[in-house]
Amino acid sequence: MLVRAIALAKSYRDADGRPIPVLAGLDLEAKGGEFAAVVGASGSGKSTLLNLLGLLEPADGGEIWFDDQRVSHLSRRAQARVRGTSIGYVFQSFLLISGMTALDNILMAARYVGRPRASALDDALLLMERLGVAHRRGHYPAQLSGGEQQRVAYCRAVLNAPPLVLADEPTGSLDDEHARVILAELRLLARQRGTAVILVTHRAEAAGEADRVLRLRDGRLVAA
């Protein structure tokens, strides 16, 4: 099993300091080559789940394992190394760096793990070509449409061929044609590269492309 979450719990606090439970003893397993979709109502905790799995924020309780390594209890520095080498994260809000071109934003993923730019450049350009944004490689994020930014963010997330890809509403800013391209790319990662893909989406057609669909309800996952 590539990634395993055991009894994950997470709460936030309201303006008065009262806890608001989001995840309550959630369990999840995903193996290499599996494409899983997580659906649920707005505010149900889907993005929170991805943030925990992506080691972007700590859980209040429970454990996260990658293969035979318990990563939830590593130091933040050690977790950052795991993120760089093992996790590709497609953010819903893109998180592109405004002062860098589309191509340089993608190549940031290579820099993060110490991969030479020259060895990553061909892969980056090939990804941009497949996603239909190669002609925008010299443009800055503010010069790109929301859909173009989303596709650039996708290229950045998968540049280093991470074994786990977490995708937070990756088709939310895309028209139907480009949404199909992203979903086809995610399927390709799972089928041909053995990547574990966990997709969060509210679009039924996107969830329908997954091997398995789980619904987040009352802080836990159930079969959809």
Side-chain angles (χ1 to χ4, degrees), residues 125-136 147-148 151-152 155 178 181 185:
L125 292 174
L126 181 60
L127 276 168
M128 296 186 83
E129 189 68 37
R130 288 213 309 263
L131 272 293
V133 289
H135 65 296
R136 305 290 261 163
E148 288 169 337
R151 284 175 278 156
V152 168
C155 293
H178 288 115
V181 171
E185 287 284 329

Side-chain angles (χ1 to χ4, degrees), residues 157-170:
V158 303
L159 178 66
N160 295 323
L164 173 63
V165 169
L166 306 174
D168 191 356
E169 298 282 8

Side-chain angles (χ1 to χ4, degrees), residues 23-150:
L23 303 180
L26 179 146
D27 296 321
L28 171 66
E29 292 184 346
K31 60 186 178 181
E34 182 178 18
F35 183 1
V38 176
V39 300
S42 178
S44 61
K46 301 186 299 297
S47 293
T48 296
L49 171 60
L50 285 197
N51 285 344
L52 299 187
L53 294 176
L55 306 178
L56 295 175
E57 58 179 298
D60 296 334
E63 299 178 347
I64 299 170
W65 291 73
F66 285 0
D67 291 326
D68 58 353
Q69 182 182 25
R70 186 175 66 165
V71 296
S72 51
H73 290 59
L74 297 175
S75 69
R76 297 304 289 170
R77 177 172 292 184
Q79 287 182 347
R81 288 195 293 270
V82 172
R83 280 199 307 273
T85 58
S86 301
I87 304 172
Y89 203 125
V90 186
F91 294 95
Q92 184 176 4
S93 54
F94 319 139
L95 297 185
L96 300 178
I97 299 172
S98 61
M100 300 178 70
T101 65
L103 177 59
D104 284 337
N105 264 282
I106 294 168
L107 290 171
M108 274 295 295
R111 185 187 305 178
Y112 193 67
V113 297
R115 182 182 177 189
R117 179 185 175 94
S119 73
L121 183 58
D122 286 346
D123 288 343
L125 292 174
L126 181 60
L127 276 168
M128 296 186 83
E129 189 68 37
R130 288 213 309 263
L131 272 293
V133 289
H135 65 296
R136 305 290 261 163
R137 59 183 177 270
H139 291 74
Y140 293 90
Q143 298 170 315
L144 305 177
S145 69
E148 288 169 337
Q149 290 185 59
Q150 182 66 88

